[in-house]
Amino acid sequence: MKVLVAVKRVVDYNVKIRVKADQTGVETANVKMAMNPFDEIAVEEAVRMKEAGKATEVVAVSLGTPACQETIRYAMALGADRGILVQTDQELQPLAVAKLLKATVEREDPGLVILGKQAIDDDSNQTGQMLAALLDWPQGAFASKVELGDGEMDVIREVDGGLETVKLKLPAVITADLRLNEPRYAKLPNIMKAKKKPLETIDAGETGVDLEPRLVTLKVNEPSQRQAGIVVESVSELVDKLRNEAKVI
Amino acid sequence: MTILVIAEHDNEQLKPSTLNTVAAASQVGGDIHLLVAGHNCASVADSGAKIQGVAKVLLAEDSHYEHALAEELSILVTGLAENYTHVLASATSVGKNFMPRVAARLDVAQISDVVGVESEDTFVRPIYAGNALATVQSKDGIKIITARSTAFDAVDAEGGSAAVESLAAGGAYGQSSFVSQELTVSERPELTSASVVISGGRGMANGENFKLIEAVADKLNAAIGASRAAVDAGFVPNDYQVGQTGKIVAPDLYIAVGISGAIQHLAGMKESKVIVAINKDEEAPIFQVADYGLVADLFSALPELNEALSE
């Protein structure tokens, strides 16, 4: 079974982002970029499936500018066999991403697609579910454990009240939550090896997919900042403040 | 304009977040219809009919709606959506699961995790873990929206008298099925709607030590939360996690114990009215957002706090 993994290039999660002064967005020039952390978990899960003999090939796909090749190379350093870049300079929103991924799925015919549950830049948490709907496949969103069976799989999902197990008929789409696994670090020899793995580029325009953004960003601004309060000296002072000043207990 | 709100429930009771989502719908303006989809859930529809501002309740009952499977719910909601200008659900694990499927089937964008309504087509939503707020305008005919509960004050659960209309259930999709659930059983208030939350982080050192937090939580009738570090370390279950990708809370009082305050955690709690931080590291970033900071060893501070609250 072939597994397709979608990876997104985002601002590194350690970077404290800055809103542009003209309120058109967030500063991304000269900022450290990295693979979306949830997508790293997705890649790791696919690679483990291959190592366990349950997957035959892991294909990493990313969408966007040529800079996304870096993200695909990183996926290959983690163990993906080859990569596909669906290239465009256009701003891509989740619906367009899902449509481009659908086109890629139709071309590659994988038995399973794994994505991160959300990207830490736009925090949309939509693409995997949208892709599943467009393919008319079942989905296991927010997966914290998966067990592949014969033609089906069990997915333990993180839900608000705890955990939920669902059974999906394959092919299916999975989105990775934090505790699905702990991704490995890319070792130097594997980073070198990844440079030689095949990476194909497809022009997004040739897929015939409508990429037009449906949401117009009117402005991006900073949320109101909290002011640091006071440091209390003791527990009794704290309780006194909470009772008599803040009046919350 | 007519708006469809998807009720969240467990086939017996309406989840409180539904009241916040109706509030968000009220800000958009127009008639509000409430969809209750489930199995043997007529009592939920009756509660829904009493919610302030709800003009009509649609009740869809069938066994394949029992567990709110995304595949089944999205087919039902997609079929109804064409009669509406907006469809809203809570940005909970249920809403986040099925709503993007609805949007994709309708070929429209979803506007996730909305925290503000500017007009019928313009909404505010957090990006980058809440470190920026984006104001977005939708060009689509139907607006598919998930609303963040803490950003909208709940409407009254009583006082309305909407009619309940039963819908014919659609066929089952059948490619997915519910197997089991393992829900955390607790006598405490629910994390996202509690007025007091006390959370523990890596500083708790192990799960056993959460008893210290439990004792204080009992005194304050508080819900218990945790940082990602505490959940990843296995101290407490996943559903305790507060943060960018966990639960978003905004209680009257939030007490962070042994939590350093990574931006991903702050994203989940910085809208709380009063924040208390207890940490032995005075440089911890959590102190920058805390109204009251106590630099202390939590292993002595928590028992002391428990004692002081007994007085």
Side-chain angles (χ1 to χ4, degrees):
Chain A
M1 182 181 72
K2 190 195 286 185
V3 181
L4 192 77
V5 186
V7 295
K8 184 177 185 183
R9 183 172 186 264
V10 298
V11 173
D12 186 274
Y13 81 102
N14 283 311
V15 171
K16 175 130 182 50
I17 58 107
R18 277 187 307 121
V19 172
K20 288 184 188 169
D22 64 1
Q23 299 199 327
T24 54
V26 164
E27 193 58 70
T28 53
N30 302 315
V31 170
K32 189 185 175 207
M33 305 296 280
M35 183 187 289
N36 179 42
F38 289 97
D39 301 348
E40 255 185 270
I41 299 172
V43 173
E44 176 68 32
E45 196 63 21
V47 170
R48 287 187 192 186
M49 284 175 182
K50 189 179 175 200
E51 287 168 349
K54 289 177 174 163
T56 50
E57 188 185 28
V58 177
V59 182
V61 54
S62 192
L63 304 86
T65 64
C68 299
Q69 288 181 17
E70 199 186 354
T71 316
I72 297 172
R73 291 285 172 206
Y74 187 67
M76 295 194 290
L78 293 174
D81 298 296
R82 60 186 172 91
I84 300 171
L85 170 63
V86 183
Q87 194 174 317
T88 174
D89 291 333
Q90 166 109 41
E91 177 207 347
L92 294 177
Q93 293 182 350
L95 182 63
V97 172
K99 287 179 178 178
L100 288 173
L101 288 175
K102 179 181 182 236
T104 312
V105 166
E106 283 166 351
R107 191 169 166 272
E108 291 288 330
D109 194 27
L112 181 67
V113 182
I114 313 181
L115 306 86
K117 79 162 178 179
Q118 85 189 58
I120 61 165
D121 49 4
D122 62 27
D123 282 334
S124 288
N125 193 335
Q126 301 173 4
T127 304
Q129 297 91 315
M130 285 182 157
L131 173 63
L134 294 175
L135 291 166
D136 202 27
W137 288 5
Q139 71 188 40
F142 329 138
S144 78
K145 193 174 180 206
V146 297
E147 269 172 59
L148 272 172
D150 189 16
E152 58 180 34
M153 70 190 303
D154 281 354
V155 181
I156 301 183
R157 307 176 51 236
E158 297 206 2
V159 296
D160 287 342
L163 297 169
E164 176 189 86
T165 306
V166 291
K167 193 178 280 296
L168 311 177
K169 289 193 181 142
L170 295 175
V173 173
I174 299 299
T175 74
D177 213 320
L178 287 170
R179 282 160 283 272
L180 184 59
N181 58 53
E182 263 186 59
R184 68 197 67 189
Y185 290 100
K187 295 195 184 104
L188 188 60
N190 291 340
I191 294 171
M192 301 310 287
K193 242 187 269 172
K195 290 183 179 163
K196 297 203 180 79
K197 290 185 180 175
L199 199 172
E200 180 189 1
T201 298
I202 297 170
D203 180 359
E206 284 170 15
T207 58
V209 169
D210 166 23
L211 305 178
E212 200 56 40
R214 305 297 184 84
L215 300 178
V216 182
T217 301
L218 302 180
K219 66 170 180 184
V220 173
N221 55 315
E222 279 188 44
S224 54
Q225 300 292 326
R226 278 191 93 96
Q227 298 299 317
I230 58 163
V231 172
V232 294
E233 295 303 320
S234 67
V235 167
S236 56
E237 188 188 348
L238 173 64
V239 171
D240 176 64
K241 294 280 187 198
L242 292 178
R243 276 192 181 134
N244 303 315
E245 191 175 273
K247 298 190 198 305
V248 284
I249 58 172
Chain B
M1 269 195 333
T2 316
I3 302 171
L4 182 66
V5 172
I6 317 301
E8 194 164 331
H9 62 90
D10 59 5
N11 296 302
E12 287 172 9
Q13 280 184 317
L14 213 52
K15 295 272 159 105
S17 62
T18 304
L19 302 175
N20 306 92
T21 305
V22 171
S26 308
Q27 288 190 18
V28 176
D31 279 348
I32 298 172
H33 295 177
L34 185 75
L35 172 68
V36 176
H39 188 47
N40 296 329
C41 58
S43 63
V44 178
D46 292 340
S47 316
K50 293 183 193 141
I51 298 174
Q52 280 290 346
V54 171
K56 183 157 87 174
V57 175
L58 306 175
L59 173 62
E61 292 185 286
D62 208 322
S63 54
H64 56 273
Y65 300 136
E66 182 171 3
H67 297 289
L69 285 172
E71 295 82 353
E72 306 293 353
L73 260 187
S74 61
I75 292 170
L76 175 68
V77 175
T78 305
L80 294 169
E82 311 217 323
N83 306 319
Y84 296 91
T85 52
H86 299 72
V87 181
L88 275 80
S90 310
T92 55
S93 61
V94 173
K96 289 173 180 173
N97 193 23
F98 83 89
M99 282 290 266
R101 276 188 92 99
V102 175
R105 282 176 180 277
L106 293 170
D107 193 28
V108 302
Q110 172 176 299
I111 311 153
S112 294
D113 231 351
V114 164
V115 296
V117 176
E118 301 273 294
S119 72
E120 62 185 78
D121 66 2
T122 304
F123 307 91
V124 181
R125 57 177 306 267
I127 55 175
Y128 290 90
N131 287 300
L133 291 171
T135 303
V136 296
Q137 185 175 32
S138 165
K139 295 195 283 186
D140 289 315
I142 303 174
K143 277 69 168 166
I144 299 293
I145 294 165
T146 62
R148 180 177 287 193
S149 296
T150 54
F152 300 94
D153 289 333
V155 297
D156 264 332
E158 299 288 333
S161 56
V164 178
E165 185 183 306
S166 284
L167 297 176
Y173 170 76
Q175 299 294 301
S176 63
S177 55
F178 171 86
V179 177
S180 62
Q181 60 186 10
E182 202 179 304
L183 301 185
T184 306
V185 181
S186 171
E187 297 295 310
R188 294 203 172 80
E190 204 235 334
L191 187 53
T192 52
S193 52
S195 55
V196 181
V197 173
I198 175 165
S199 291
R202 198 195 303 271
M204 297 305 296
N206 60 47
E208 182 71 13
N209 289 333
F210 265 75
K211 286 202 172 127
L212 299 170
I213 283 190
E214 287 169 16
V216 175
D218 287 343
K219 293 273 160 52
L220 295 171
N221 190 29
I224 296 179
S227 68
R228 177 187 171 185
V231 175
D232 281 359
F235 301 171
V236 288
N238 63 282
D239 52 297
Y240 282 47
Q241 185 177 325
V242 172
Q244 179 184 18
T245 69
K247 301 246 167 68
I248 308 290
V249 303
D252 294 336
L253 172 61
Y254 187 88
I255 306 177
V257 185
I259 292 177
S260 62
I263 53 170
Q264 290 81 7
H265 184 75
L266 301 185
M269 45 65 81
K270 67 181 178 182
E271 302 302 321
S272 305
K273 288 198 181 73
V274 174
I275 296 174
V276 170
I278 301 176
N279 201 303
K280 67 180 175 189
D281 174 12
E282 61 184 298
E283 301 293 322
I286 190 80
F287 287 118
Q288 288 163 23
V289 299
D291 300 286
Y292 301 106
L294 176 64
V295 181
D297 182 1
L298 65 93
F299 295 107
S300 53
L302 281 176
E304 267 184 66
L305 181 56
N306 186 26
E307 192 74 17
L309 292 170
S310 312
E311 284 164 15

